[in-house]
Amino acid sequence: MKRYLVAATAVLSSVVGLAQQAPKAIGPLPKASQVEWQKLETYAFIHFGPNTFGDREWGYGDASLESFNPTRLDCEQWARTVKGAGMKGIILTAKHHDGFCLWPTRYTDYSVRNTPYKQGKGDVVGELAAACKKYGLKLGLYLSPWDRHQAFYGTALYREYFYAQLHELLTQYGELFEVWFDGANGGDGWYGGAKETRKIDRRTYYDFPRAWAMVDKLQPKAQIFSDGGPGCRWVGNEDGYAFATNWSFLRSKEVYPGYDRSPELQQGHRDGDKWIPAECNVSIRPGWFYHEKEDSKVKSVDELVDLYYRSVGHNGTQLINFPVNKEGLIHPIDSANAANYYKQISAELKNNLVLKASVKASNTRGKKFSTKKLVDGNYDTYWATADGVTTGSLTIDFNKTRKVNRMMLQEYIPLGQRVEKFRVEYLHKGEWLPVNCGEETTTIGYKRLLRFKTIEARKLRVVFEQSRGELCINNIGVYYAPGAKERYIEKPSMLEGIKKQLVNADATSVLFEIYTTNNIKTLYYLPDQSANHEGLISDYEILVGDDLSSMHKVTDGQFANIRNHPILQEVHFTPTKARYVMLKATRMVVDGQPLKYDNIAIE
């Protein structure tokens, strides 16, 4: 009999032991550095350079070196602003598309070394690195692969130039948390005075695997950003949000810098083969560089709060850009709004009501993976279901009726992203009713934040309806934010402008007749705001006249970065009297696509 008891005990111990083992990982999986990067959640972008002084977004590379002369540049002020906004790091545009370098590179004269700033002895990258170290912030650097200044852009020599500069940045400024490569590559430029359009093969020209290898060797903790990663990906828009359904995977062999199906990046690829999570970049102003006319257009606290929920709260990170002004400072309006946004988020998610509640699970893997792990404050512990159990529920009992309007869920992503569909319910008069979260409840990933109208209930329930494997949830929170709005989404505003009527529109132009001859000076163009942003104008002319036989051009130009940032465009020109106004596309973003727009106003 004793022999049978020993055998039975051995079998039971074996079963219990299996139940205490972690669920098998389900790929793709993140590297440890990617998990740590995602924990940063929010960090800042800084755009600063000759564009700041020339009132441009994309400089052609022809700005004079003498123009770069900030009189009060203070990288510590930048760091204090970012720290005050609760952000964990700063990414600086060390070289934008205009080719100007904010550090004294050895490889071109077109750098801070030959400007009036500090009589050529300044190093903005170095000054920011020191400020970040002082204030406990991480440093990241942006190096544009495109260079509209260099005469040899498009040749093999430029590729060596690019890698020489990358090596400088990776070795001279300490540890980096991110290296940023923009997807805008090739097009119009100054190119040493050639003033022409140069096209390159975005897939092959730069030999990006060489860049990945260099970063991995010299900065192994840094995440590499581009449309397709490999560390993190562009989210497919410059509006600062990911879709509610957001996978941290991509089909890595398909996506490349300048990917032509960028809307896919807003939700990732469920069948992707590599872990490449989304970074949601947005500027606190309409433009990425400073423009005084935008001082009244800084994103409000409500708008920034909304974007936090739709970036960090949609399984991404949030990258907010601060355009530094001509003095070399972040504008006080920007600083104040960022600080107050952080205070608002902190207040809304301050008191986790689950900490004083009881949580019951429909299934658990064992004591090591119990529901207590959901609120123990340890990232690496989690509630998990038994082998083969891919659905289930968590019921939260507050022990008394509570007001609630926010929820937070986190998966333990070191074992993979799993949840595909879930729902939230509350108990009302003995019946479980759905909580309307205002968006689909599908993926969770690193973090999912839900906003809903205030409900009063003693019990809430999260039902996991579909998953790629056993459930692994490492954090849950329920909150009540008094007076908080459910959503803050706003459509771009449009000026009414001078009363007009559409006379004619074709594939490349739109013609308006103003009801009476007026002195006009500005045209406002709001591109197509549909999900696909079709019919975008790249290069344009504006023609005016008292009658159709006397139309003449008053200005021309380029809507820089409109492909990725299709916001309201303003074109100002010398005031002129006219009855007819035509916006003519001389080049489209997508060749052959007919012009589309949401609105055009004339002032």
Side-chain angles (χ1 to χ4, degrees), residues 241-246 278 308-316 439 443-444 447-449 451 487:
Y241 66 88
F243 280 1
T245 300
N246 183 20
Y308 176 85
Y309 280 101
R310 296 196 289 147
S311 56
V312 176
H314 281 177
N315 186 35
E439 59 187 20
T443 57
I444 294 175
K447 181 173 282 189
R448 185 67 189 273
L449 292 167
R451 293 172 286 177
R487 298 184 69 79

mmCIF file with all atom_site columns, all heavy atoms in Angstrom, residues 241-246 278 308-316 439 443-444 447-449 451 487:
data_model
loop_
_atom_site.group_PDB
_atom_site.id
_atom_site.type_symbol
_atom_site.label_atom_id
_atom_site.label_alt_id
_atom_site.label_comp_id
_atom_site.label_asym_id
_atom_site.label_entity_id
_atom_site.label_seq_id
_atom_site.pdbx_PDB_ins_code
_atom_site.Cartn_x
_atom_site.Cartn_y
_atom_site.Cartn_z
_atom_site.occupancy
_atom_site.B_iso_or_equiv
_atom_site.pdbx_formal_charge
_atom_site.auth_seq_id
_atom_site.auth_comp_id
_atom_site.auth_asym_id
_atom_site.auth_atom_id
_atom_site.pdbx_PDB_model_num
ATOM 1   N N   . TYR A 1 241 ? -1.417  58.172 -33.645 1.00 0.00 ? 241 TYR A N   1
ATOM 2   C CA  . TYR A 1 241 ? -2.263  57.110 -33.101 1.00 0.00 ? 241 TYR A CA  1
ATOM 3   C C   . TYR A 1 241 ? -2.078  55.805 -33.866 1.00 0.00 ? 241 TYR A C   1
ATOM 4   O O   . TYR A 1 241 ? -1.695  55.794 -35.039 1.00 0.00 ? 241 TYR A O   1
ATOM 5   C CB  . TYR A 1 241 ? -3.744  57.508 -33.145 1.00 0.00 ? 241 TYR A CB  1
ATOM 6   C CG  . TYR A 1 241 ? -4.306  57.646 -34.544 1.00 0.00 ? 241 TYR A CG  1
ATOM 7   C CD1 . TYR A 1 241 ? -4.836  56.544 -35.212 1.00 0.00 ? 241 TYR A CD1 1
ATOM 8   C CD2 . TYR A 1 241 ? -4.306  58.871 -35.198 1.00 0.00 ? 241 TYR A CD2 1
ATOM 9   C CE1 . TYR A 1 241 ? -5.338  56.653 -36.497 1.00 0.00 ? 241 TYR A CE1 1
ATOM 10  C CE2 . TYR A 1 241 ? -4.804  58.992 -36.484 1.00 0.00 ? 241 TYR A CE2 1
ATOM 11  C CZ  . TYR A 1 241 ? -5.321  57.883 -37.122 1.00 0.00 ? 241 TYR A CZ  1
ATOM 12  O OH  . TYR A 1 241 ? -5.805  58.006 -38.409 1.00 0.00 ? 241 TYR A OH  1
ATOM 13  N N   . ALA A 1 242 ? -2.337  54.708 -33.181 1.00 0.00 ? 242 ALA A N   1
ATOM 14  C CA  . ALA A 1 242 ? -2.422  53.392 -33.796 1.00 0.00 ? 242 ALA A CA  1
ATOM 15  C C   . ALA A 1 242 ? -3.885  52.967 -33.799 1.00 0.00 ? 242 ALA A C   1
ATOM 16  O O   . ALA A 1 242 ? -4.702  53.499 -33.046 1.00 0.00 ? 242 ALA A O   1
ATOM 17  C CB  . ALA A 1 242 ? -1.586  52.381 -33.019 1.00 0.00 ? 242 ALA A CB  1
ATOM 18  N N   . PHE A 1 243 ? -4.209  51.998 -34.628 1.00 0.00 ? 243 PHE A N   1
ATOM 19  C CA  . PHE A 1 243 ? -5.561  51.461 -34.621 1.00 0.00 ? 243 PHE A CA  1
ATOM 20  C C   . PHE A 1 243 ? -5.806  50.705 -33.311 1.00 0.00 ? 243 PHE A C   1
ATOM 21  O O   . PHE A 1 243 ? -4.878  50.261 -32.647 1.00 0.00 ? 243 PHE A O   1
ATOM 22  C CB  . PHE A 1 243 ? -5.776  50.520 -35.798 1.00 0.00 ? 243 PHE A CB  1
ATOM 23  C CG  . PHE A 1 243 ? -6.058  51.217 -37.111 1.00 0.00 ? 243 PHE A CG  1
ATOM 24  C CD1 . PHE A 1 243 ? -6.088  52.591 -37.202 1.00 0.00 ? 243 PHE A CD1 1
ATOM 25  C CD2 . PHE A 1 243 ? -6.283  50.478 -38.259 1.00 0.00 ? 243 PHE A CD2 1
ATOM 26  C CE1 . PHE A 1 243 ? -6.348  53.230 -38.398 1.00 0.00 ? 243 PHE A CE1 1
ATOM 27  C CE2 . PHE A 1 243 ? -6.543  51.099 -39.468 1.00 0.00 ? 243 PHE A CE2 1
ATOM 28  C CZ  . PHE A 1 243 ? -6.580  52.482 -39.538 1.00 0.00 ? 243 PHE A CZ  1
ATOM 29  N N   . ALA A 1 244 ? -7.075  50.550 -32.956 1.00 0.00 ? 244 ALA A N   1
ATOM 30  C CA  . ALA A 1 244 ? -7.427  49.778 -31.763 1.00 0.00 ? 244 ALA A CA  1
ATOM 31  C C   . ALA A 1 244 ? -6.916  48.347 -31.887 1.00 0.00 ? 244 ALA A C   1
ATOM 32  O O   . ALA A 1 244 ? -6.439  47.757 -30.920 1.00 0.00 ? 244 ALA A O   1
ATOM 33  C CB  . ALA A 1 244 ? -8.936  49.803 -31.554 1.00 0.00 ? 244 ALA A CB  1
ATOM 34  N N   . THR A 1 245 ? -7.034  47.787 -33.087 1.00 0.00 ? 245 THR A N   1
ATOM 35  C CA  . THR A 1 245 ? -6.406  46.493 -33.365 1.00 0.00 ? 245 THR A CA  1
ATOM 36  C C   . THR A 1 245 ? -4.973  46.773 -33.795 1.00 0.00 ? 245 THR A C   1
ATOM 37  O O   . THR A 1 245 ? -4.741  47.376 -34.840 1.00 0.00 ? 245 THR A O   1
ATOM 38  C CB  . THR A 1 245 ? -7.148  45.738 -34.487 1.00 0.00 ? 245 THR A CB  1
ATOM 39  O OG1 . THR A 1 245 ? -8.498  45.508 -34.088 1.00 0.00 ? 245 THR A OG1 1
ATOM 40  C CG2 . THR A 1 245 ? -6.468  44.414 -34.786 1.00 0.00 ? 245 THR A CG2 1
ATOM 41  N N   . ASN A 1 246 ? -4.030  46.364 -32.994 1.00 0.00 ? 246 ASN A N   1
ATOM 42  C CA  . ASN A 1 246 ? -2.626  46.682 -33.285 1.00 0.00 ? 246 ASN A CA  1
ATOM 43  C C   . ASN A 1 246 ? -1.730  45.517 -32.881 1.00 0.00 ? 246 ASN A C   1
ATOM 44  O O   . ASN A 1 246 ? -1.482  45.286 -31.710 1.00 0.00 ? 246 ASN A O   1
ATOM 45  C CB  . ASN A 1 246 ? -2.197  47.959 -32.555 1.00 0.00 ? 246 ASN A CB  1
ATOM 46  C CG  . ASN A 1 246 ? -0.768  48.350 -32.884 1.00 0.00 ? 246 ASN A CG  1
ATOM 47  O OD1 . ASN A 1 246 ? -0.208  47.929 -33.888 1.00 0.00 ? 246 ASN A OD1 1
ATOM 48  N ND2 . ASN A 1 246 ? -0.164  49.143 -32.023 1.00 0.00 ? 246 ASN A ND2 1
ATOM 49  N N   . ALA A 1 278 ? 4.823   49.273 -32.816 1.00 0.00 ? 278 ALA A N   1
ATOM 50  C CA  . ALA A 1 278 ? 4.536   50.575 -33.416 1.00 0.00 ? 278 ALA A CA  1
ATOM 51  C C   . ALA A 1 278 ? 4.944   51.733 -32.520 1.00 0.00 ? 278 ALA A C   1
ATOM 52  O O   . ALA A 1 278 ? 4.693   51.721 -31.317 1.00 0.00 ? 278 ALA A O   1
ATOM 53  C CB  . ALA A 1 278 ? 3.037   50.683 -33.734 1.00 0.00 ? 278 ALA A CB  1
ATOM 54  N N   . TYR A 1 308 ? -2.640  60.013 -26.199 1.00 0.00 ? 308 TYR A N   1
ATOM 55  C CA  . TYR A 1 308 ? -2.003  59.045 -25.296 1.00 0.00 ? 308 TYR A CA  1
ATOM 56  C C   . TYR A 1 308 ? -2.818  57.753 -25.260 1.00 0.00 ? 308 TYR A C   1
ATOM 57  O O   . TYR A 1 308 ? -2.268  56.649 -25.357 1.00 0.00 ? 308 TYR A O   1
ATOM 58  C CB  . TYR A 1 308 ? -1.885  59.633 -23.887 1.00 0.00 ? 308 TYR A CB  1
ATOM 59  C CG  . TYR A 1 308 ? -1.329  58.651 -22.873 1.00 0.00 ? 308 TYR A CG  1
ATOM 60  C CD1 . TYR A 1 308 ? 0.036   58.482 -22.727 1.00 0.00 ? 308 TYR A CD1 1
ATOM 61  C CD2 . TYR A 1 308 ? -2.196  57.880 -22.081 1.00 0.00 ? 308 TYR A CD2 1
ATOM 62  C CE1 . TYR A 1 308 ? 0.548   57.566 -21.802 1.00 0.00 ? 308 TYR A CE1 1
ATOM 63  C CE2 . TYR A 1 308 ? -1.697  56.968 -21.162 1.00 0.00 ? 308 TYR A CE2 1
ATOM 64  C CZ  . TYR A 1 308 ? -0.327  56.814 -21.025 1.00 0.00 ? 308 TYR A CZ  1
ATOM 65  O OH  . TYR A 1 308 ? 0.171   55.905 -20.125 1.00 0.00 ? 308 TYR A OH  1
ATOM 66  N N   . TYR A 1 309 ? -4.129  57.891 -25.125 1.00 0.00 ? 309 TYR A N   1
ATOM 67  C CA  . TYR A 1 309 ? -4.976  56.701 -25.080 1.00 0.00 ? 309 TYR A CA  1
ATOM 68  C C   . TYR A 1 309 ? -4.929  55.929 -26.391 1.00 0.00 ? 309 TYR A C   1
ATOM 69  O O   . TYR A 1 309 ? -5.109  54.702 -26.399 1.00 0.00 ? 309 TYR A O   1
ATOM 70  C CB  . TYR A 1 309 ? -6.418  57.094 -24.752 1.00 0.00 ? 309 TYR A CB  1
ATOM 71  C CG  . TYR A 1 309 ? -6.661  57.353 -23.290 1.00 0.00 ? 309 TYR A CG  1
ATOM 72  C CD1 . TYR A 1 309 ? -6.718  58.649 -22.790 1.00 0.00 ? 309 TYR A CD1 1
ATOM 73  C CD2 . TYR A 1 309 ? -6.834  56.305 -22.397 1.00 0.00 ? 309 TYR A CD2 1
ATOM 74  C CE1 . TYR A 1 309 ? -6.944  58.895 -21.438 1.00 0.00 ? 309 TYR A CE1 1
ATOM 75  C CE2 . TYR A 1 309 ? -7.068  56.531 -21.041 1.00 0.00 ? 309 TYR A CE2 1
ATOM 76  C CZ  . TYR A 1 309 ? -7.119  57.829 -20.567 1.00 0.00 ? 309 TYR A CZ  1
ATOM 77  O OH  . TYR A 1 309 ? -7.330  58.058 -19.230 1.00 0.00 ? 309 TYR A OH  1
ATOM 78  N N   . ARG A 1 310 ? -4.715  56.631 -27.500 1.00 0.00 ? 310 ARG A N   1
ATOM 79  C CA  . ARG A 1 310 ? -4.730  55.959 -28.801 1.00 0.00 ? 310 ARG A CA  1
ATOM 80  C C   . ARG A 1 310 ? -3.332  55.595 -29.302 1.00 0.00 ? 310 ARG A C   1
ATOM 81  O O   . ARG A 1 310 ? -3.190  55.113 -30.423 1.00 0.00 ? 310 ARG A O   1
ATOM 82  C CB  . ARG A 1 310 ? -5.456  56.835 -29.825 1.00 0.00 ? 310 ARG A CB  1
ATOM 83  C CG  . ARG A 1 310 ? -6.927  57.032 -29.477 1.00 0.00 ? 310 ARG A CG  1
ATOM 84  C CD  . ARG A 1 310 ? -7.724  57.554 -30.645 1.00 0.00 ? 310 ARG A CD  1
ATOM 85  N NE  . ARG A 1 310 ? -7.424  58.935 -30.958 1.00 0.00 ? 310 ARG A NE  1
ATOM 86  C CZ  . ARG A 1 310 ? -7.449  59.453 -32.177 1.00 0.00 ? 310 ARG A CZ  1
ATOM 87  N NH1 . ARG A 1 310 ? -7.736  58.696 -33.214 1.00 0.00 ? 310 ARG A NH1 1
ATOM 88  N NH2 . ARG A 1 310 ? -7.184  60.727 -32.371 1.00 0.00 ? 310 ARG A NH2 1
ATOM 89  N N   . SER A 1 311 ? -2.319  55.792 -28.494 1.00 0.00 ? 311 SER A N   1
ATOM 90  C CA  . SER A 1 311 ? -0.954  55.360 -28.837 1.00 0.00 ? 311 SER A CA  1
ATOM 91  C C   . SER A 1 311 ? -0.473  54.354 -27.802 1.00 0.00 ? 311 SER A C   1
ATOM 92  O O   . SER A 1 311 ? -0.509  53.146 -28.040 1.00 0.00 ? 311 SER A O   1
ATOM 93  C CB  . SER A 1 311 ? -0.013  56.567 -28.935 1.00 0.00 ? 311 SER A CB  1
ATOM 94  O OG  . SER A 1 311 ? -0.024  57.339 -27.739 1.00 0.00 ? 311 SER A OG  1
ATOM 95  N N   . VAL A 1 312 ? -0.090  54.842 -26.627 1.00 0.00 ? 312 VAL A N   1
ATOM 96  C CA  . VAL A 1 312 ? 0.292   53.929 -25.543 1.00 0.00 ? 312 VAL A CA  1
ATOM 97  C C   . VAL A 1 312 ? -0.863  52.988 -25.222 1.00 0.00 ? 312 VAL A C   1
ATOM 98  O O   . VAL A 1 312 ? -0.659  51.789 -24.991 1.00 0.00 ? 312 VAL A O   1
ATOM 99  C CB  . VAL A 1 312 ? 0.704   54.732 -24.286 1.00 0.00 ? 312 VAL A CB  1
ATOM 100 C CG1 . VAL A 1 312 ? 1.000   53.792 -23.124 1.00 0.00 ? 312 VAL A CG1 1
ATOM 101 C CG2 . VAL A 1 312 ? 1.929   55.597 -24.588 1.00 0.00 ? 312 VAL A CG2 1
ATOM 102 N N   . GLY A 1 313 ? -2.074  53.513 -25.248 1.00 0.00 ? 313 GLY A N   1
ATOM 103 C CA  . GLY A 1 313 ? -3.257  52.702 -24.955 1.00 0.00 ? 313 GLY A CA  1
ATOM 104 C C   . GLY A 1 313 ? -3.691  51.799 -26.079 1.00 0.00 ? 313 GLY A C   1
ATOM 105 O O   . GLY A 1 313 ? -4.639  51.014 -25.921 1.00 0.00 ? 313 GLY A O   1
ATOM 106 N N   . HIS A 1 314 ? -3.006  51.875 -27.221 1.00 0.00 ? 314 HIS A N   1
ATOM 107 C CA  . HIS A 1 314 ? -3.268  50.980 -28.350 1.00 0.00 ? 314 HIS A CA  1
ATOM 108 C C   . HIS A 1 314 ? -2.024  50.159 -28.681 1.00 0.00 ? 314 HIS A C   1
ATOM 109 O O   . HIS A 1 314 ? -1.734  49.886 -29.846 1.00 0.00 ? 314 HIS A O   1
ATOM 110 C CB  . HIS A 1 314 ? -3.712  51.770 -29.592 1.00 0.00 ? 314 HIS A CB  1
ATOM 111 C CG  . HIS A 1 314 ? -5.144  52.203 -29.562 1.00 0.00 ? 314 HIS A CG  1
ATOM 112 N ND1 . HIS A 1 314 ? -5.708  52.967 -30.566 1.00 0.00 ? 314 HIS A ND1 1
ATOM 113 C CD2 . HIS A 1 314 ? -6.140  51.985 -28.667 1.00 0.00 ? 314 HIS A CD2 1
ATOM 114 C CE1 . HIS A 1 314 ? -6.986  53.207 -30.275 1.00 0.00 ? 314 HIS A CE1 1
ATOM 115 N NE2 . HIS A 1 314 ? -7.265  52.613 -29.130 1.00 0.00 ? 314 HIS A NE2 1
ATOM 116 N N   . ASN A 1 315 ? -1.261  49.789 -27.635 1.00 0.00 ? 315 ASN A N   1
ATOM 117 C CA  . ASN A 1 315 ? -0.105  48.900 -27.809 1.00 0.00 ? 315 ASN A CA  1
ATOM 118 C C   . ASN A 1 315 ? 1.028   49.550 -28.598 1.00 0.00 ? 315 ASN A C   1
ATOM 119 O O   . ASN A 1 315 ? 1.738   48.880 -29.338 1.00 0.00 ? 315 ASN A O   1
ATOM 120 C CB  . ASN A 1 315 ? -0.541  47.579 -28.490 1.00 0.00 ? 315 ASN A CB  1
ATOM 121 C CG  . ASN A 1 315 ? 0.593   46.562 -28.549 1.00 0.00 ? 315 ASN A CG  1
ATOM 122 O OD1 . ASN A 1 315 ? 1.406   46.484 -27.639 1.00 0.00 ? 315 ASN A OD1 1
ATOM 123 N ND2 . ASN A 1 315 ? 0.649   45.805 -29.626 1.00 0.00 ? 315 ASN A ND2 1
ATOM 124 N N   . GLY A 1 316 ? 1.198   50.867 -28.464 1.00 0.00 ? 316 GLY A N   1
ATOM 125 C CA  . GLY A 1 316 ? 2.321   51.533 -29.108 1.00 0.00 ? 316 GLY A CA  1
ATOM 126 C C   . GLY A 1 316 ? 3.090   52.360 -28.102 1.00 0.00 ? 316 GLY A C   1
ATOM 127 O O   . GLY A 1 316 ? 2.861   52.292 -26.892 1.00 0.00 ? 316 GLY A O   1
ATOM 128 N N   . GLU A 1 439 ? -14.802 51.620 -29.226 1.00 0.00 ? 439 GLU A N   1
ATOM 129 C CA  . GLU A 1 439 ? -13.887 51.094 -30.236 1.00 0.00 ? 439 GLU A CA  1
ATOM 130 C C   . GLU A 1 439 ? -13.829 49.584 -30.079 1.00 0.00 ? 439 GLU A C   1
ATOM 131 O O   . GLU A 1 439 ? -14.248 49.025 -29.050 1.00 0.00 ? 439 GLU A O   1
ATOM 132 C CB  . GLU A 1 439 ? -12.491 51.702 -30.084 1.00 0.00 ? 439 GLU A CB  1
ATOM 133 C CG  . GLU A 1 439 ? -11.856 51.450 -28.728 1.00 0.00 ? 439 GLU A CG  1
ATOM 134 C CD  . GLU A 1 439 ? -10.543 52.195 -28.543 1.00 0.00 ? 439 GLU A CD  1
ATOM 135 O OE1 . GLU A 1 439 ? -10.311 53.179 -29.267 1.00 0.00 ? 439 GLU A OE1 1
ATOM 136 O OE2 . GLU A 1 439 ? -9.749  51.795 -27.673 1.00 0.00 ? 439 GLU A OE2 1
ATOM 137 N N   . THR A 1 443 ? -7.137  43.367 -29.864 1.00 0.00 ? 443 THR A N   1
ATOM 138 C CA  . THR A 1 443 ? -5.799  43.093 -29.337 1.00 0.00 ? 443 THR A CA  1
ATOM 139 C C   . THR A 1 443 ? -5.542  43.860 -28.039 1.00 0.00 ? 443 THR A C   1
ATOM 140 O O   . THR A 1 443 ? -6.174  44.880 -27.756 1.00 0.00 ? 443 THR A O   1
ATOM 141 C CB  . THR A 1 443 ? -4.728  43.470 -30.369 1.00 0.00 ? 443 THR A CB  1
ATOM 142 O OG1 . THR A 1 443 ? -4.883  44.851 -30.727 1.00 0.00 ? 443 THR A OG1 1
ATOM 143 C CG2 . THR A 1 443 ? -4.838  42.613 -31.616 1.00 0.00 ? 443 THR A CG2 1
ATOM 144 N N   . ILE A 1 444 ? -4.569  43.360 -27.274 1.00 0.00 ? 444 ILE A N   1
ATOM 145 C CA  . ILE A 1 444 ? -4.128  44.013 -26.041 1.00 0.00 ? 444 ILE A CA  1
ATOM 146 C C   . ILE A 1 444 ? -2.646  44.363 -26.166 1.00 0.00 ? 444 ILE A C   1
ATOM 147 O O   . ILE A 1 444 ? -2.261  45.517 -26.182 1.00 0.00 ? 444 ILE A O   1
ATOM 148 C CB  . ILE A 1 444 ? -4.386  43.118 -24.808 1.00 0.00 ? 444 ILE A CB  1
ATOM 149 C CG1 . ILE A 1 444 ? -5.893  42.946 -24.605 1.00 0.00 ? 444 ILE A CG1 1
ATOM 150 C CG2 . ILE A 1 444 ? -3.748  43.748 -23.556 1.00 0.00 ? 444 ILE A CG2 1
ATOM 151 C CD1 . ILE A 1 444 ? -6.249  41.985 -23.483 1.00 0.00 ? 444 ILE A CD1 1
ATOM 152 N N   . LYS A 1 447 ? 0.038   47.155 -23.745 1.00 0.00 ? 447 LYS A N   1
ATOM 153 C CA  . LYS A 1 447 ? -0.939  47.876 -22.924 1.00 0.00 ? 447 LYS A CA  1
ATOM 154 C C   . LYS A 1 447 ? -2.155  48.246 -23.751 1.00 0.00 ? 447 LYS A C   1
ATOM 155 O O   . LYS A 1 447 ? -2.027  48.673 -24.900 1.00 0.00 ? 447 LYS A O   1
ATOM 156 C CB  . LYS A 1 447 ? -0.330  49.140 -22.322 1.00 0.00 ? 447 LYS A CB  1
ATOM 157 C CG  . LYS A 1 447 ? -1.282  49.932 -21.420 1.00 0.00 ? 447 LYS A CG  1
ATOM 158 C CD  . LYS A 1 447 ? -0.576  51.083 -20.711 1.00 0.00 ? 447 LYS A CD  1
ATOM 159 C CE  . LYS A 1 447 ? 0.226   50.578 -19.546 1.00 0.00 ? 447 LYS A CE  1
ATOM 160 N NZ  . LYS A 1 447 ? 0.749   51.693 -18.703 1.00 0.00 ? 447 LYS A NZ  1
ATOM 161 N N   . ARG A 1 448 ? -3.324  48.087 -23.146 1.00 0.00 ? 448 ARG A N   1
ATOM 162 C CA  . ARG A 1 448 ? -4.579  48.530 -23.760 1.00 0.00 ? 448 ARG A CA  1
ATOM 163 C C   . ARG A 1 448 ? -5.326  49.381 -22.734 1.00 0.00 ? 448 ARG A C   1
ATOM 164 O O   . ARG A 1 448 ? -5.540  48.957 -21.595 1.00 0.00 ? 448 ARG A O   1
ATOM 165 C CB  . ARG A 1 448 ? -5.427  47.330 -24.180 1.00 0.00 ? 448 ARG A CB  1
ATOM 166 C CG  . ARG A 1 448 ? -6.700  47.706 -24.934 1.00 0.00 ? 448 ARG A CG  1
ATOM 167 C CD  . ARG A 1 448 ? -6.375  48.311 -26.307 1.00 0.00 ? 448 ARG A CD  1
ATOM 168 N NE  . ARG A 1 448 ? -7.535  48.869 -26.941 1.00 0.00 ? 448 ARG A NE  1
ATOM 169 C CZ  . ARG A 1 448 ? -8.395  48.161 -27.711 1.00 0.00 ? 448 ARG A CZ  1
ATOM 170 N NH1 . ARG A 1 448 ? -8.196  46.877 -27.913 1.00 0.00 ? 448 ARG A NH1 1
ATOM 171 N NH2 . ARG A 1 448 ? -9.425  48.756 -28.257 1.00 0.00 ? 448 ARG A NH2 1
ATOM 172 N N   . LEU A 1 449 ? -5.695  50.573 -23.145 1.00 0.00 ? 449 LEU A N   1
ATOM 173 C CA  . LEU A 1 449 ? -6.464  51.476 -22.297 1.00 0.00 ? 449 LEU A CA  1
ATOM 174 C C   . LEU A 1 449 ? -7.831  51.699 -22.924 1.00 0.00 ? 449 LEU A C   1
ATOM 175 O O   . LEU A 1 449 ? -7.931  51.978 -24.124 1.00 0.00 ? 449 LEU A O   1
ATOM 176 C CB  . LEU A 1 449 ? -5.732  52.814 -22.134 1.00 0.00 ? 449 LEU A CB  1
ATOM 177 C CG  . LEU A 1 449 ? -4.427  52.757 -21.339 1.00 0.00 ? 449 LEU A CG  1
ATOM 178 C CD1 . LEU A 1 449 ? -3.638  54.056 -21.517 1.00 0.00 ? 449 LEU A CD1 1
ATOM 179 C CD2 . LEU A 1 449 ? -4.692  52.493 -19.870 1.00 0.00 ? 449 LEU A CD2 1
ATOM 180 N N   . ARG A 1 451 ? -11.654 53.708 -22.614 1.00 0.00 ? 451 ARG A N   1
ATOM 181 C CA  . ARG A 1 451 ? -12.444 54.804 -22.045 1.00 0.00 ? 451 ARG A CA  1
ATOM 182 C C   . ARG A 1 451 ? -13.911 54.542 -22.331 1.00 0.00 ? 451 ARG A C   1
ATOM 183 O O   . ARG A 1 451 ? -14.266 54.122 -23.429 1.00 0.00 ? 451 ARG A O   1
ATOM 184 C CB  . ARG A 1 451 ? -12.027 56.131 -22.684 1.00 0.00 ? 451 ARG A CB  1
ATOM 185 C CG  . ARG A 1 451 ? -10.633 56.577 -22.348 1.00 0.00 ? 451 ARG A CG  1
ATOM 186 C CD  . ARG A 1 451 ? -10.237 57.803 -23.177 1.00 0.00 ? 451 ARG A CD  1
ATOM 187 N NE  . ARG A 1 451 ? -9.948  57.468 -24.552 1.00 0.00 ? 451 ARG A NE  1
ATOM 188 C CZ  . ARG A 1 451 ? -9.634  58.354 -25.492 1.00 0.00 ? 451 ARG A CZ  1
ATOM 189 N NH1 . ARG A 1 451 ? -9.602  59.635 -25.184 1.00 0.00 ? 451 ARG A NH1 1
ATOM 190 N NH2 . ARG A 1 451 ? -9.376  57.976 -26.720 1.00 0.00 ? 451 ARG A NH2 1
ATOM 191 N N   . ARG A 1 487 ? -13.953 60.849 -25.344 1.00 0.00 ? 487 ARG A N   1
ATOM 192 C CA  . ARG A 1 487 ? -13.048 60.966 -26.492 1.00 0.00 ? 487 ARG A CA  1
ATOM 193 C C   . ARG A 1 487 ? -12.842 62.451 -26.788 1.00 0.00 ? 487 ARG A C   1
ATOM 194 O O   . ARG A 1 487 ? -13.654 63.299 -26.467 1.00 0.00 ? 487 ARG A O   1
ATOM 195 C CB  . ARG A 1 487 ? -13.629 60.269 -27.730 1.00 0.00 ? 487 ARG A CB  1
ATOM 196 C CG  . ARG A 1 487 ? -13.830 58.776 -27.534 1.00 0.00 ? 487 ARG A CG  1
ATOM 197 C CD  . ARG A 1 487 ? -14.319 58.107 -28.797 1.00 0.00 ? 487 ARG A CD  1
ATOM 198 N NE  . ARG A 1 487 ? -13.305 58.082 -29.820 1.00 0.00 ? 487 ARG A NE  1
ATOM 199 C CZ  . ARG A 1 487 ? -12.297 57.235 -29.863 1.00 0.00 ? 487 ARG A CZ  1
ATOM 200 N NH1 . ARG A 1 487 ? -12.143 56.361 -28.909 1.00 0.00 ? 487 ARG A NH1 1
ATOM 201 N NH2 . ARG A 1 487 ? -11.433 57.237 -30.845 1.00 0.00 ? 487 ARG A NH2 1
#
